[in-house]
Amino acid sequence: MNRREILRRSAAAGLLATPAAGLLTGCATSGGDDKGDAGAYKGTKSEQNPLGVKEDAPLEVVIFNGGFGEDYAKAHEAMYKERYPKAEIKHSATQEISKTLQPRFVDGSPPDVVNNSGAGQIDFNGLVSQNALADLSDLLAAPSLDAPGKTVKDTLLPGTVEVGSYDGKFLVLNYTYTVYGIWHSTKLFADRGWTYAKTWDEHIALCRQIKAAGIAPWTYAGLHPRYMSWPLISTAIKLGGPSVALAIDNLEPNAWKSDAMKTAADAWYQIVKDKFILAGSPGLDHKQSQTAWCQGKAAFISCGSWLESEQKDVTPAGFNMTVAPTPSLGSGDKLPFEAIRGTAGEPFMVPAKAKNTAGGLEYFRTMLSRKGAQDFTKKVASLPVVAGATDGVELPFGLATVVKALDASGSNGFNWVYNNYYRKLERNLVDAACGEFFSGRISPAEFLDQCQKGADSIAQDTSVKKYKRAA
């Protein structure tokens, strides 16, 4: 089970596609009871206590037990306990967030902090549309715990607030900053005398060279083929500019059939047509494909910057995994080769019905302190969304390349959010299209047509709340 594999569900009523959907809707709108009066624990706000935390109020934290484990959260809880020694903290971790917490949403007694991630993640579109999440605006305005003169918002990396905002309200704290790119082993490349290609033509030439050496150029998570949509869309955005992503996010007609998307799909089809993909990849899950890559069976893999942490137990010494941007399609690209996709991820939320909402926000303030962020980096080898969190921290090789890639990308970085707005679109519909496309069963035109039909089905579904992203 992995933290990124989200629950596949239909969008009935824009909420959980289970018989309990109506019950969750009810709990989001009904009055409180003795089990779950929202914000029952309230303290007095002051300069030292800007969020109004009741010092002896219990705090319950539920963590997704995935690639990051739970030790980092226990450390954050200990930091919270240092400031509020009278508070009892209840910690639990699960790989099934929805299955574990849905009954508690139903009866109005959710925990105070939820790391809503993994295969059993609760659909955010439904949670937001039913007002089931607490507004985190007060957290942004609160002073940082250890950055004098700065608010919490001042310490966050660009895009953190935007990706967790719905209709202008900051509702979800995405704690990690993830870079998505193409990964390779610098040791393998050095041993073979290969150089990472900056243009698509050079990439194809390199793939031929790699294949001739008896190594598959590519592998991918065949059971989660949307991983390959990330470099394809990135290639299109670099060619056509950020407006390509904006159109997709806003469900604009034929957004998936833009000239940039057509050119990108045609380019990526070449790795399918020329059999540059490791045999059997369509049947591999993410861990199996990543392990095959670590074993040197393939040269490239598409993934986010959690890869190093997730593969730490099977990565050979000196492998030196490195992230790089997608190659440029040509001199007409609107973004330079160095431009790379980066975004905040790993969502945390405070339920609107939580008893200790102030404590939940204060827990987030602890996570977002320099101390909390640096401890997270040391424990899980991943970037938090706090600026300067890696300063003075010795980074593992892969994470160091992530920081370097971000620096090189600078203001040319890009992202898309349709996957946050409409999980079903990426996790079910685009995923299915990618499965057909990268296994060679459909053409580029058929692939884009399937993606567009999926987007149109979401756009036409009146039960799904729609969001508009500004340029």
Side-chain angles (χ1 to χ4, degrees):
M1 180 68 66
N2 179 272
R3 69 185 183 88
R4 302 174 324 284
E5 295 317 310
I6 193 169
L7 183 63
R8 295 170 181 248
R9 56 180 79 251
S10 66
L15 203 58
L16 294 175
T18 68
L23 295 176
L24 181 52
T25 303
C27 91
T29 56
S30 63
D33 55 29
D34 59 355
K35 289 186 291 183
D37 289 337
Y41 298 114
K42 295 180 180 178
T44 302
K45 291 187 177 182
S46 65
E47 187 175 341
Q48 288 72 38
N49 186 11
L51 296 172
V53 179
K54 192 171 186 294
E55 64 175 8
D56 60 349
L59 181 76
E60 184 178 1
V61 179
V62 178
I63 297 297
F64 172 65
N65 193 7
F68 291 146
E70 57 182 311
D71 288 347
Y72 77 91
K74 291 178 178 178
H76 289 154
E77 291 159 11
M79 295 175 198
Y80 182 97
K81 186 81 171 176
E82 287 176 11
R83 301 189 67 243
Y84 300 97
K86 295 181 182 179
E88 178 187 347
I89 298 180
K90 181 180 179 181
H91 169 97
S92 60
T94 178
Q95 293 186 343
E96 296 287 349
I97 293 293
S98 179
K99 186 182 296 184
T100 303
L101 296 183
Q102 184 177 325
R104 298 185 56 186
F105 273 93
V106 169
D107 70 12
S109 62
D112 305 304
V113 172
V114 179
N115 175 201
N116 187 29
S117 189
Q121 179 194 55
I122 304 172
D123 176 27
F124 275 111
N125 187 289
L127 290 168
V128 173
S129 65
Q130 298 301 322
N131 300 313
L133 302 183
D135 191 331
L136 306 181
S137 300
D138 287 350
L139 168 69
L140 297 179
S144 165
L145 280 173
D146 52 10
K150 291 186 177 182
T151 64
V152 169
K153 185 177 181 180
D154 293 336
T155 68
L156 301 180
L157 291 173
T160 303
V161 175
E162 288 76 9
V163 79
S165 295
Y166 295 79
D167 289 337
K169 286 185 177 181
F170 183 48
L171 302 175
V172 181
L173 170 62
N174 290 280
Y175 188 57
T176 65
Y177 202 80
T178 302
V179 169
Y180 294 81
I182 298 174
W183 292 78
H184 67 280
S185 163
T186 54
K187 182 182 187 303
L188 173 64
F189 273 49
D191 290 348
R192 297 281 183 162
W194 299 332
T195 301
Y196 187 83
K198 292 187 176 182
T199 70
W200 190 255
D201 288 344
E202 292 170 351
H203 179 76
I204 294 301
L206 177 58
C207 284
R208 292 193 180 104
Q209 193 176 357
I210 292 170
K211 185 177 180 180
I215 299 173
W218 275 89
T219 188
Y220 70 99
L223 298 186
H224 315 293
R226 65 183 175 276
Y227 280 39
M228 291 300 287
S229 73
W230 304 336
L232 191 155
I233 297 172
S234 294
T235 303
I237 292 171
K238 290 169 75 166
L239 174 63
S243 62
V244 173
L246 188 66
I248 289 174
D249 289 343
N250 290 338
L251 301 178
E252 292 182 11
N254 291 319
W256 288 87
K257 296 183 178 182
S258 67
D259 289 343
M261 285 295 294
K262 288 178 180 177
T263 304
D266 285 342
W268 280 94
Y269 188 63
Q270 191 163 358
I271 74 166
V272 179
K273 183 177 60 177
D274 290 352
K275 301 189 185 310
F276 289 153
I277 297 174
L278 178 69
S281 290
L284 303 179
D285 65 18
H286 60 287
K287 290 299 287 288
Q288 291 169 329
S289 60
Q290 290 163 191
T291 298
W293 173 72
C294 284
Q295 292 170 342
K297 295 178 181 178
F300 300 115
I301 195 165
S302 165
C303 200
S305 49
W306 60 79
L307 178 63
E308 184 174 39
S309 176
E310 196 163 67
Q311 293 300 112
K312 63 184 178 182
D313 293 337
V314 298
T315 303
F319 184 80
N320 292 351
M321 63 176 66
T322 298
V323 70
T326 52
S328 300
L329 284 175
S331 58
D333 278 21
K334 292 186 177 179
L335 294 177
F337 161 74
E338 291 80 11
I340 200 166
R341 181 191 176 201
T343 182
E346 195 62 23
F348 284 75
M349 63 188 188
V350 174
K353 284 286 183 180
K355 276 191 174 183
N356 192 4
T357 53
L361 267 62
E362 183 71 7
Y363 180 79
F364 287 171
R365 193 161 75 118
T366 302
M367 292 171 63
L368 295 171
S369 66
R370 177 72 65 91
K371 179 182 178 181
Q374 288 194 337
D375 188 79
F376 175 81
T377 298
K378 292 174 182 176
K379 280 184 167 61
V380 305
S382 189
L383 291 177
V385 294
V386 180
T390 61
D391 294 350
V393 178
E394 185 177 351
L395 303 178
F397 192 95
L399 188 57
T401 73
V402 169
V403 174
K404 184 178 179 181
L406 276 176
D407 288 344
S409 180
S411 60
N412 292 306
F414 58 88
N415 187 37
W416 55 85
V417 295
Y418 85 90
N419 52 313
N420 292 335
Y421 290 166
Y422 316 109
R423 286 294 198 188
K424 179 185 176 183
L425 178 52
E426 186 196 42
R427 303 284 174 143
N428 292 38
L429 305 174
V430 172
D431 191 64
C434 285
E436 295 293 296
F437 180 60
F438 284 100
S439 60
R441 290 190 290 268
I442 60 176
S443 68
E446 291 169 325
F447 164 70
L448 295 177
D449 188 57
Q450 282 194 26
C451 292
Q452 188 59 54
K453 285 180 178 177
D456 291 343
S457 71
I458 299 294
Q460 294 160 10
D461 189 340
T462 56
S463 70
V464 178
K465 181 174 174 58
K466 309 304 189 299
Y467 301 97
K468 190 81 171 178
R469 181 167 76 87

